[in-house]
């Protein structure tokens, strides 16, 4: 079983819609969770971090964490074509020494 | 400006050659990391270092070597023992020591074996 699992997609949504990206993780003791956005040919850039159960909002982005279900998600409201990218979920292991990255979900926002 | 720089942006290697990828950061971060990314795949950890003069192997260290002589610098050497080195190489850094530490990435080096 992989440490972090994501649906690879591709996920397509129309402009203005809500995009929902999901991630599950295997280490129940994990405490830190991150979403990165990666444009084609570029390096990952941090979008959101979340550490507590519940929702965390930043502009059009909302991260949701449910530790009991070992599930973290990213919602993008009012999706824009510029949001088209691959979104990587990352989890810090319980030891705190290593990030585990999912393989990413490819999102396309259709104008 | 604080950040992470990687050079070169593109690198071409002949079979049997060793090449060294540069990574420098001025964020005063203690920890530095090297990842490899292949098309359609996630990031795989090659090596990481939490303090100067110390580093640990990641999941795919075979065929690679690193050094950490300075806090700011963490060069990666891709040796001829690495049989399939063509990939996108990403360097990252974090403060280290904190369970919540975020990793920040450099722009990457794309290595192609000719």
């Amino acid at each position: 079983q992989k440490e972090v699992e994501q649906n690879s997609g591709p996920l397509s949504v129309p402009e203005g819609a809500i995009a929902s990206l999901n991630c599950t993780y295997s280490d129940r003791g994990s405490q830190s969770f991150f979403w990165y956005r990666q444009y084609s040919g570029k390096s990952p850039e941090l979008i959101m971090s979340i550490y507590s159960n519940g929702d965390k909002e930043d502009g059009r982005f909302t991260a949701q964490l449910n530790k009991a279900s070992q599930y973290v998600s990213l919602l993008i409201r009012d999706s824009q074509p510029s949001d088209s990218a691959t979104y990587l979920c990352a989890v810090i292991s319980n030891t705190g020494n290593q990030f585990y990255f999912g393989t990413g979900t490819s999102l396309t926002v259709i104008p | 400006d604080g950040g992470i720089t990687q050079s070169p942006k593109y690198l071409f290697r002949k079979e049997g050659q060793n090449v060294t990828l540069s990574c420098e950061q001025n964020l005063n971060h203690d920890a530095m990391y090297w990842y490899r990314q292949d098309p359609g795949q996630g990031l795989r950890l090659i090596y990481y270092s939490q303090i100067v003069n110390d580093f640990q192997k990641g999941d795919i260290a075979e065929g690679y070597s690193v050094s950490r002589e300075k806090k700011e610098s963490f060069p990666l050497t891709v040796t001829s023992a690495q049989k399939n080195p063509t990939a996108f190489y990403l360097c990252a850094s974090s403060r280290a020591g904190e369970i919540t530490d975020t990793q920040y990435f450099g722009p990457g080096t794309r290595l192609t074996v000719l």
Side-chain angles (χ1 to χ4, degrees):
Chain A
Q1 181 185 8
K2 292 183 179 179
E3 297 283 344
V4 180
E5 301 218 38
Q6 295 181 254
N7 187 329
S8 63
L11 174 66
S12 294
V13 299
E15 184 174 355
I18 296 175
S20 177
L21 305 163
N22 304 313
C23 172
T24 58
Y25 59 95
S26 60
D27 182 358
R28 183 169 291 277
S30 298
Q31 298 181 41
S32 304
F33 308 87
F34 306 86
W35 283 100
Y36 288 83
R37 177 176 61 199
Q38 187 175 25
Y39 291 114
S40 181
K42 303 296 185 182
S43 63
E45 56 179 325
L46 180 70
I47 299 176
M48 297 277 289
S49 58
I50 186 166
Y51 311 107
S52 304
N53 276 330
D55 294 359
K56 179 182 178 182
E57 186 175 317
D58 184 0
R60 294 186 296 112
F61 298 97
T62 299
Q64 299 175 318
L65 175 61
N66 184 327
K67 290 185 178 180
S69 300
Q70 295 175 241
Y71 177 95
V72 57
S73 65
L74 180 70
L75 301 178
I76 306 175
R77 290 183 301 281
D78 188 24
S79 294
Q80 302 296 309
S82 59
D83 295 326
S84 298
T86 296
Y87 289 81
L88 302 173
C89 173
V91 176
I92 295 183
S93 70
N94 198 27
T95 62
N97 287 340
Q98 188 169 343
F99 265 57
Y100 290 100
F101 286 88
T103 54
T105 298
S106 175
L107 172 67
T108 300
V109 179
I110 303 168
Chain B
D1 287 340
I4 304 171
T5 58
Q6 291 185 243
S7 62
K9 186 174 182 180
Y10 299 97
L11 185 58
F12 298 91
R13 191 194 91 169
K14 294 182 180 179
E15 295 270 358
Q17 276 185 335
N18 292 355
V19 291
T20 297
L21 283 57
S22 170
C23 178
E24 304 276 334
Q25 55 96 3
N26 61 5
L27 300 169
N28 199 33
H29 284 173
D30 288 314
M32 298 185 74
Y33 310 81
W34 274 106
Y35 292 92
R36 168 181 173 144
Q37 187 176 39
D38 294 281
Q41 296 191 33
L43 302 176
R44 291 187 289 169
L45 183 65
I46 304 173
Y47 269 97
Y48 66 100
S49 168
Q50 293 186 291
I51 57 172
V52 173
N53 293 323
D54 188 45
F55 47 82
Q56 283 77 43
K57 293 182 179 180
D59 301 321
I60 56 165
E62 185 176 351
Y64 300 97
S65 66
V66 293
S67 63
R68 187 83 186 278
E69 297 177 1
K70 298 187 300 181
K71 186 176 182 177
E72 301 79 17
S73 178
F74 192 40
L76 174 74
T77 297
V78 184
T79 74
S80 57
Q82 171 52 234
K83 298 306 179 187
N84 186 22
T86 295
F88 189 40
Y89 289 86
L90 289 160
C91 178
S93 71
S94 69
R95 285 184 304 165
E98 300 291 333
I99 194 70
T100 58
D101 280 346
T102 304
Q103 289 191 13
Y104 297 93
F105 287 86
T109 292
R110 194 166 299 279
L111 172 64
T112 302
V113 174
L114 302 174

